[in-house]
């Protein structure tokens, strides 16, 4: 689960991490008072969307002005003007996709004087099964570009979970960033704070870009992006409360209500499959035959008729979907139960695109008979290969 920058900074502040003072703004009319309360001489007006690259982003509306999604203001009046320009407008960044995202919240911060910009992140490194730090002196920029062109400017190491974060980790970061004296000490303290926050809140990723040294000699986190491990949210009600559903795909929200594993994708073929492995194999074979899946959807091993219906509704409600492939292996669940679920779903929600059903496993003959006898316009398939070819052909013809 992702949160907004201002929420991420709120979480980090609990651990003592140095961030600028700021106020979240929902109405442009609140901006002036908030700016006066923070005090100048410099403010930063920051668009809050679940995507990076805001500084270099562009608004689609003319009234929003030519500047990006992060703006420096030198007066209260300028803060007010920027807030009025940005709120409610659509910001397109390298990470939002061409449609962009509507800016419904701003974060107004006291502006910092930047002397140096660095990059710092923590993530779960699957290769070592440890939390890893990634740091670079090349902050403020696209870290993927740094990795591509000057990989030697990125320093990475992981932390042994048995010892946790140690003073030598902090020293390694200070050294990688070329810091000494008091700044090195600040970096060491920050290293321990960030690690503590990462572990305590079950984060999957924490990215600070830029981490800065201010003109006053303070280390500060000017930006913060956090992804929390969704599987651990049950033990963090404070984090769940930060969820902003307007930033999420409504189809994915609906799927999570029915306990379906669903990820929306860009293609035209909607997939309903049981088991994550089979779902991935299904997506692969759709691609192999020259089409693209519209989603990943695992209805789970013990899917009920209700779950199958909910899944069907989500798939058919997606205007991108030009055909549906149901690929179910009846193991714990019997094929006849699935066939009845599919028919009930089709009757309930209607069907305007071709539907290919491939069933295999327990009671497969009965399942096929139920579908054949249903009178519905369903294309039956014998195996995965056959099913993929049939749905790709049907979609190309339509
Ligand atoms: P992003 O573009 O979405 O990553 O948003 P950031 O929060 O990183 O802001 C973009 C850029 O704005 C940063 O890289 C900084 O260069 C600049 N910026 C952000 N906050 C401040 C600030 O307090 N003072 C100054 N001078 N620049 C800032
Ligand atoms: Mn940033």
């Amino acid at each position: 689960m992702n949160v907004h920058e201002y929420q991420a900074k709120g979480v980090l502040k609990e651990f003592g991490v140095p961030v600028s003072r700021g106020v979240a703004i929902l109405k442009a009319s609140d901006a002036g008072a908030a700016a006066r309360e923070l005090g100048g001489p410099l403010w930063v007006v920051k668009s809050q969307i679940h995507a990076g690259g805001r500084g270099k982003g562009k608004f689609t509306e003319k009234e929003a002005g030519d500047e990006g999604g992060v703006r420096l203001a030198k007066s209260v009046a300028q803060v007010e003007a920027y807030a009025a320009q940005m709120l409610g407008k659509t910001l397109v960044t390298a990470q939002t996709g061409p449609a962009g995202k509507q800016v419904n919240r701003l974060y107004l911060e006291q502006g910092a004087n930047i002397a140096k910009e660095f990059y710092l992140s923590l993530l779960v490194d699957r290769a070592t099964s440890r939390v890893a730090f990634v740091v670079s002196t090349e902050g403020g920029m696209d870290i993927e570009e740094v990795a591509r062109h000057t990989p030697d400017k990125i320093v990475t190491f992981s932390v042994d979970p048995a010892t946790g974060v140690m003073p030598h980790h902090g020293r390694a970061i200070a050294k990688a960033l070329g810091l000494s004296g008091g700044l090195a000490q600040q970096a060491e303290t920050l290293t321990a704070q960030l690690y503590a926050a990462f572990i305590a809140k079950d984060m999957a990723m924490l990215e600070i870009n830029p981490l800065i040294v201010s003109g006053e000699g303070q280390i500060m986190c000017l930006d913060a992006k956090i992804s929390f491990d969704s599987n651990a949210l049950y033990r963090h009600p404070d984090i769940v409360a930060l969820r902003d559903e307007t930033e999420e795909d409504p189809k994915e929200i609906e799927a999570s209500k029915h306990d379906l594993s669903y990820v929306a994708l860009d293609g035209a073929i909607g997939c309903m499959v049981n088991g994550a492995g089979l779902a991935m194999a299904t997506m692969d074979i759709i691609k192999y035959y020259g089409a693209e899946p519209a989603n990943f959807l695992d209805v789970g091993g013990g899917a009920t008729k209700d779950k199958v219906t909910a899944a069907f509704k989500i798939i058919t409600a997606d205007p991108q979907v030009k055909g549906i492939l149901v690929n179910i292996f009846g193991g714990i669940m019997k094929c006849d139960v699935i066939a009845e679920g599919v028919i009930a779903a089709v009757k309930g929600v209607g069907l305007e695109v071709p539907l290919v059903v491939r069933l295999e496993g327990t009671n497969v003959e009965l399942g096929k008979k139920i579908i054949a006898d249903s009178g519905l316009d369903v294309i039956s398939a014998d195996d995965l290969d056959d099913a993929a070819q049939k749905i790709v052909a049907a979609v190309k013809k339509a």
Side-chain angles (χ1 to χ4, degrees), residues 266-283:
D266 295 333
I269 298 182
C271 307
M272 182 159 85
V273 190
N274 64 338
L278 189 58
M280 287 199 262
T282 305
M283 289 161 59

Side-chain angles (χ1 to χ4, degrees), residues 111-324:
N113 293 315
I114 303 177
K116 278 187 195 143
E117 287 188 308
F118 304 126
Y119 175 93
L120 188 157
S121 65
L122 284 87
L123 46 90
V124 180
D125 178 9
R126 285 161 200 276
T128 58
S129 305
R130 292 175 172 190
V131 173
F133 277 88
V134 179
V135 286
S136 175
T137 51
E138 307 307 294
M141 303 195 230
D142 191 350
I143 196 70
E144 285 81 9
E145 283 295 299
V146 180
R148 203 170 301 131
H149 299 295
T150 47
D152 51 303
K153 295 210 162 141
I154 296 176
V155 174
T156 176
F157 60 85
S158 61
V159 176
D160 186 338
T163 63
V165 72
M166 304 280 281
H168 71 84
H169 293 122
R171 289 197 293 275
I173 286 183
K175 181 162 179 266
L177 299 179
L179 302 173
S180 58
L183 284 174
Q185 259 164 24
Q186 289 183 47
E188 287 165 34
T189 305
L190 177 69
T191 303
Q193 290 166 337
L194 293 176
Y195 186 83
F198 193 92
I199 299 296
K201 297 295 181 184
D202 288 306
M203 296 178 192
M205 206 268 307
L206 163 59
E207 187 177 61
I208 312 291
N209 188 25
L211 171 72
I212 65 145
V213 175
S214 73
E216 298 76 31
Q218 293 296 311
I219 287 209
M220 286 173 73
C221 299
L222 276 210
D223 190 9
K225 183 177 174 185
I226 302 180
S227 297
F228 295 93
D229 179 350
S230 299
N231 292 315
L233 285 175
Y234 70 94
R235 53 188 183 196
H236 300 293
D238 57 327
I239 303 300
V240 174
L242 302 179
R243 186 165 174 189
D244 179 359
E245 292 199 343
T246 65
E247 290 283 331
E248 297 174 26
D249 187 321
K251 299 191 292 298
E252 293 183 8
I253 295 170
E254 185 62 21
S256 71
K257 284 186 191 146
H258 297 280
D259 201 23
L260 298 162
S261 304
Y262 175 90
V263 181
L265 300 167
D266 295 333
I269 298 182
C271 307
M272 182 159 85
V273 190
N274 64 338
L278 189 58
M280 287 199 262
T282 305
M283 289 161 59
D284 280 349
I285 200 159
I286 287 171
K287 282 178 183 256
Y288 179 79
Y289 284 111
E292 294 288 329
N295 64 280
F296 168 96
L297 173 60
D298 172 12
V299 294
T304 58
K305 193 171 123 181
D306 288 348
K307 239 176 149 174
V308 171
T309 309
F312 223 85
K313 273 189 188 158
I314 292 166
I315 294 175
T316 51
D318 181 353
Q320 264 185 196
V321 169
K322 303 289 181 251
I324 301 170

